[in-house]
Amino acid sequence: MFVESTLVYPALLAVLCLGAGALVDRCSGERLPGTLLLAVGAAALIAVSQLSTYISALAPATPYLLLALAAGGFVLARSRLRALARSARATPWPVIASLLVYAAALAPVLLAGRPTFSSYLALADSAVHMLGGDFLIRHGQDYAHLDLRNSYGQFVNAYYNSGYPSGADTLFGASASLLRPPLIWSFQPFNAFMLAAATGPAWLLARRLSLRGPWAGLAALTVLLGALDYAYELLGSVKEISAIAMVLTLGALAVAHRLWLAGPVRRVIPMALVSGAGVSVLGVGFGAWALVGAAVPLAVLAGGRRSGRRGPKGRLAMIAAGALTLLIAALPTWTHLSGSLNVTQGIASTANAGNLQAPLGASHLLGVWLRGSYKSAPTGASLTVTHILIAVTVVAAVLGAAHVLRMRAYALAGWLACMLLAWLAVGKSVSTWAGAKTLVLTAPVVMLLAWGAVASLGALASRPSRLAAWALALALTGGVLSSDALQYHSTNLAPTARYEELGSLDSRFAGRGPTLFTDFDEYALYELRDLDVGGPNFVYPPPALAALAGGHGRPVQLDRAPARALLAYPLIITRRDPTLARPPSVYRLQWRGVYYEVWQRRSGASPAIAHIPLSGSARDQCASIARMAASGGALLSAAAVPEIVTVSLARSSHPARWAVGRRGVLLSGVGRLSAGFALPRAGPWELWFAGGLMPSVAIELDGRTLAHVGGQLGGNSLVRNILAPRQVSLSAGEHTLALSRAGVTLAPGDGGLAELSAIFLTPAGPRGEARLERAPATRWRSLCGVSHQWVEQIPSRG
């Protein structure tokens, strides 16, 4: 699975995009530079996938339509492709740079050596794109069958039936479907590929600055891997990453307008196609960047210079052909224009800053941010070095702008100026969240300008100038790669085994929903896509059960569900956690894995007449049981609290810098935590940990190493995560448990989340589970004396 998702899948994507790009090139007159074929091909595939999913009956055929499009390009443009292959062998730097961009963007996954995706706890929007990529290919834009009483249907409807841009999702879902790996493991490789696809246009723009060979390759590398763009790639911001490729391709086509503007009308197809793909990917808000790309060609057409002998009618014909191509390429967006406008306006004006703690500033444009997160400012020496490198980049960008004007590269200067003006105009008029997106799209331009200074210094004959060019290139590259390395080190990676187990439940129980899901993990929307999932603590909870969580991200209190509120759910999937209440007695345990339990409602069983949660002292619980028994003559059923031995973190010894807060102990750096506990009897026990551990942590029990645990995180940082239990055989009496975090390593995520909320043990077997106890109402006292999670009145035949 790992090799398939990280190597085979991107190779397939490259073949699809190359073939589609060659076909577009052939249809438009074979004037495209070879390094643009990947990006232009991606634009063509986005357009086709949008059109095919717009016709619902055609949606399942989308993967094969993309394959046919690419095959057509390889057949019809085979001589052109052979020539490009020879050119690539002679000048390999664009290919090398593309591979390096892909490897750097996917470095956390590649070096983890397992299927996963990055910046796991930062933003859950990637769950929506996985969900959308699957749904749109299977069902197209047909939303009539959705069940809006559950989270799955609400999510799909709220996003994709409202004009939300889906261009990247349809390409992602269709291309990954050809190999059929789970989309959850193909998502990060897709993002890395789309960033790498922008290397070709970045290379061409660097070449226009008079950079040659490895210099142009290095420039393209740093243009795409600037700190903010790298952060957004790690976040899985698929819309923005895909839009970067479209923005830079438009820039490259604008700068190279002489190749196509004076020819036949059909040569405008690539420009319009890429603009349409950008609109499909980012929504009508991409119009600003499309206008920037079109500004130079339109200015040339308006002036009549370098547009050949084309008269007014010829110019209008080219504009009309471009407009028609743009209309067709993004037809679903134009058809739902009002919805797309509402989405764009909502993003631009929302007061919700998302995962941003404060608005991002212009300093984020400069490619350097020596902190593990772009959301927090560097501190100490890192802050000083960051300021120095930012100052170097600013000076270099100014010198680069002067270099562009001195070269009389007016098309390049015009596009760069328009990009910066668009950033200023759009950035000043939108919210914090949308403002960050404008920075992401603009940052490559600023770094490109800075490399103009390297080109300027390198062109001078004096030795000091050439040394200065080397020093500046080293500063720019070192600043970018150092920033990326810090983010790589702090990346939180998704747990592989847990999601594989969750995905196995989809195939095991498919079609037997709706299913209530009590864990706070919105990636379950994709993993359990065939079970019509409802999550009470999701953004879109089942309306009838929203009160079980009391808000987004809060723990689900299943024992507080009204007696008949769960009737709509034949299945309940819970996280294995002895501290949580078991489902009502009408449900029986159907399946248990390492991480999850599946509870199925017993066929023909009647729901409880009444159900109340129990808490407090044994006397209080007994009084509640008595009141329920007095209210009727039915049977009583109660869930006994499992036996739990708690390991006190408050009395543990650990380094002073390991802060103790509301959520537990934060394992900040190297150190060792030691805590004692006592067991009432000997036998097999299960050892449980609550928290999130991305870096590897050694667990010792009575001086013996029990295991090394890492990469175990929950779907969101708002609710504590329960790690898979470790079974141990222990004697009665005192024991010592220790957790050790080693020094800094180069492993991905070594600087990620390391938090411990609780440690406890339960007996292995029935004593460690919430077992059911029943008694006639007349013998209610038999249920007293033992702590219970809840008590129910059930019918005599229940």
Side-chain angles (χ1 to χ4, degrees):
M1 186 68 71
F2 173 71
V3 172
E4 183 180 23
S5 61
T6 60
L7 299 179
V8 179
Y9 172 55
L12 173 63
L13 259 176
V15 169
L16 291 174
C17 291
L18 186 61
L23 186 60
V24 172
D25 184 40
R26 176 65 183 269
C27 294
S28 60
E30 295 190 341
R31 302 293 289 178
L32 279 175
T35 52
L36 293 186
L37 290 187
L38 275 183
V40 172
L45 296 176
I46 288 170
V48 171
S49 65
Q50 284 283 282
L51 292 170
S52 62
T53 53
Y54 186 61
I55 306 170
S56 298
L58 197 58
T62 302
Y64 309 105
L65 291 175
L66 301 191
L67 195 60
L69 193 73
F74 279 104
V75 171
L76 296 176
R78 54 188 179 276
S79 59
R80 167 88 161 131
L81 289 172
R82 282 196 294 266
L84 290 175
R86 291 192 296 270
S87 176
R89 285 194 293 269
T91 309
W93 299 111
V95 176
I96 293 172
S98 297
L99 294 174
L100 289 175
V101 169
Y102 177 80
L106 200 63
V109 176
L110 291 173
L111 295 179
R114 58 184 173 90
T116 183
F117 53 95
S118 56
S119 286
Y120 179 50
L121 300 180
L123 194 63
D125 284 11
S126 49
V128 174
H129 296 293
M130 296 169 192
L131 174 68
D134 171 79
F135 180 88
L136 292 170
I137 300 306
R138 291 203 292 171
H139 305 287
Q141 296 192 34
D142 176 14
Y143 309 104
H145 64 284
L146 290 173
D147 181 1
L148 301 184
R149 293 170 297 179
N150 286 310
S151 303
Y152 180 89
Q154 289 188 72
F155 267 90
V156 173
N157 186 69
Y159 279 85
Y160 298 100
N161 196 23
S162 66
Y164 186 75
S166 61
D169 298 338
T170 53
L171 174 57
F172 166 50
S175 58
S177 295
L178 286 169
L179 291 175
R180 302 190 184 279
L183 297 191
I184 195 170
W185 305 138
S186 304
F187 184 70
Q188 207 66 46
F190 179 81
N191 278 273
F193 175 85
M194 290 305 295
L195 189 64
T199 308
W203 159 271
L204 284 177
L205 292 168
R207 289 271 296 172
R208 190 65 185 91
L209 290 171
S210 298
L211 292 166
R212 297 290 182 265
W215 288 101
L218 196 57
L221 187 76
T222 53
V223 161
L224 295 174
L225 294 178
L228 186 60
D229 290 340
Y230 189 73
Y232 266 62
E233 191 281 330
L234 293 181
L235 280 174
S237 297
V238 66
K239 302 197 307 297
E240 289 73 31
I241 294 303
S242 299
I244 287 173
M246 302 301 121
V247 168
L248 292 180
T249 303
L250 289 176
L253 288 170
V255 170
H257 65 272
R258 294 183 186 181
L259 293 176
W260 56 272
L261 198 58
V265 168
R266 60 188 172 129
R267 290 186 181 173
V268 77
I269 291 176
M271 189 84 173
L273 187 64
V274 172
S275 297
V279 170
S280 296
V281 163
L282 207 59
V284 293
F286 188 81
W289 315 109
L291 286 175
V292 167
V296 170
L298 287 174
V300 173
L301 280 177
R305 299 179 66 243
R306 297 186 180 89
S307 56
R309 298 179 181 177
R310 185 178 289 113
K313 290 184 178 179
R315 300 173 196 173
L316 288 175
M318 178 163 274
I319 293 173
L324 180 61
T325 304
L326 175 60
L327 174 66
I328 295 172
L331 184 62
T333 302
W334 306 128
T335 305
H336 296 99
L337 183 59
S338 61
S340 184
L341 284 170
N342 287 336
V343 170
T344 300
Q345 185 178 8
I347 294 174
S349 59
T350 180
N352 182 4
N355 65 338
L356 294 176
Q357 301 167 3
L360 302 184
S363 56
H364 281 88
L365 287 171
L366 300 165
V368 180
W369 203 254
L370 298 180
R371 183 73 185 264
S373 171
Y374 70 98
K375 296 176 292 183
S376 303
T379 58
S382 295
L383 178 61
T384 302
V385 176
T386 299
H387 284 163
I388 292 172
L389 290 172
I390 284 177
V392 168
T393 307
V394 169
V395 172
V398 173
L399 293 176
H403 171 68
V404 172
L405 294 175
R406 190 165 52 249
M407 290 173 60
R408 298 185 179 181
Y410 297 126
L412 177 59
W415 177 73
L416 291 170
C418 288
M419 282 290 295
L420 293 174
L421 287 173
W423 162 62
L424 289 171
V426 175
K428 294 295 183 182
S429 60
V430 297
S431 65
T432 295
W433 186 241
K437 297 175 183 290
T438 65
L439 290 170
V440 170
L441 297 181
T442 311
V445 168
V446 178
M447 183 57 65
L448 186 67
L449 275 172
W451 275 90
V454 176
S456 177
L457 292 169
L460 299 178
S462 66
R463 181 179 177 83
S465 297
R466 291 182 178 275
L467 290 175
W470 277 96
L472 180 56
L474 181 62
L476 295 175
T477 306
V480 165
L481 295 183
S482 297
S483 301
D484 295 348
L486 290 172
Q487 294 187 74
Y488 157 88
H489 185 251
S490 299
T491 295
N492 288 312
L493 295 171
T496 304
R498 182 163 66 80
Y499 279 128
E500 287 182 339
E501 179 174 298
L502 194 60
S504 73
L505 299 182
D506 188 63
S507 56
R508 182 186 294 265
F509 296 98
R512 293 164 65 177
T515 301
L516 188 67
F517 186 72
T518 62
D519 194 21
F520 183 37
D521 193 335
E522 290 173 342
Y523 292 97
L525 291 164
Y526 166 73
E527 289 286 58
L528 301 176
R529 56 198 174 277
D530 295 309
L531 294 179
D532 195 11
V533 172
N537 51 11
F538 288 178
V539 172
Y540 298 104
L545 297 177
L548 293 187
H552 177 243
R554 292 189 172 275
V556 175
Q557 296 177 304
L558 196 57
D559 57 337
R560 300 186 182 278
R564 295 181 176 270
L566 302 179
L567 281 177
Y569 296 93
L571 296 177
I572 298 177
I573 297 179
T574 63
R575 193 70 172 270
R576 283 194 64 190
D577 184 350
T579 66
L580 298 180
R582 94 182 283 287
S585 58
V586 74
Y587 289 88
R588 65 182 178 189
L589 183 65
Q590 182 71 17
W591 182 92
R592 171 178 286 157
V594 176
Y595 300 94
Y596 293 98
E597 295 175 334
V598 180
W599 301 81
Q600 185 171 11
R601 193 173 61 236
R602 289 183 288 121
S603 178
S606 302
I609 298 170
H611 175 108
I612 59 171
L614 296 176
S615 60
S617 66
R619 176 178 295 181
D620 292 339
Q621 290 196 15
C622 195
S624 297
I625 293 172
R627 285 192 296 271
M628 177 168 281
S631 65
L635 289 171
L636 299 182
S637 180
V641 173
E643 183 179 1
I644 295 176
V645 175
T646 301
V647 180
S648 175
L649 291 178
R651 293 196 295 268
S652 65
S653 62
H654 54 77
R657 65 179 178 280
W658 285 17
V660 180
R662 179 177 56 86
R663 292 179 54 84
V665 180
L666 192 63
L667 283 62
S668 305
V670 182
R672 178 184 175 88
L673 178 146
S674 180
F677 63 94
L679 292 180
R681 63 183 171 279
W685 292 78
E686 288 190 318
L687 177 62
W688 301 80
F689 297 89
L693 297 175
M694 181 61 227
S696 180
V697 173
I699 301 173
E700 298 176 15
L701 190 57
D702 296 332
R704 295 178 293 106
T705 300
L706 180 63
H708 286 80
V709 178
Q712 295 294 316
L713 301 174
N716 198 291
S717 59
L718 299 177
V719 176
R720 73 174 193 170
N721 184 41
I722 293 292
L723 280 62
R726 304 277 168 173
Q727 189 155 343
V728 293
S729 183
L730 296 172
S731 60
E734 300 291 331
H735 297 273
T736 302
L737 180 72
L739 282 83
S740 301
R741 183 173 178 181
V744 175
T745 72
L746 297 179
D750 185 65
L753 180 68
E755 184 179 71
L756 195 61
S757 302
I759 308 174
F760 56 92
L761 296 95
T762 59
R767 295 181 65 90
E769 301 171 6
R771 62 192 182 279
L772 287 179
E773 296 179 346
R774 290 191 176 187
T778 55
R779 298 180 57 191
W780 61 268
R781 292 183 183 277
S782 64
L783 298 178
C784 294
V786 176
S787 183
H788 292 90
Q789 298 170 339
W790 47 256
V791 65
E792 291 179 336
Q793 265 188 4
I794 60 175
S796 298
R797 295 184 180 180

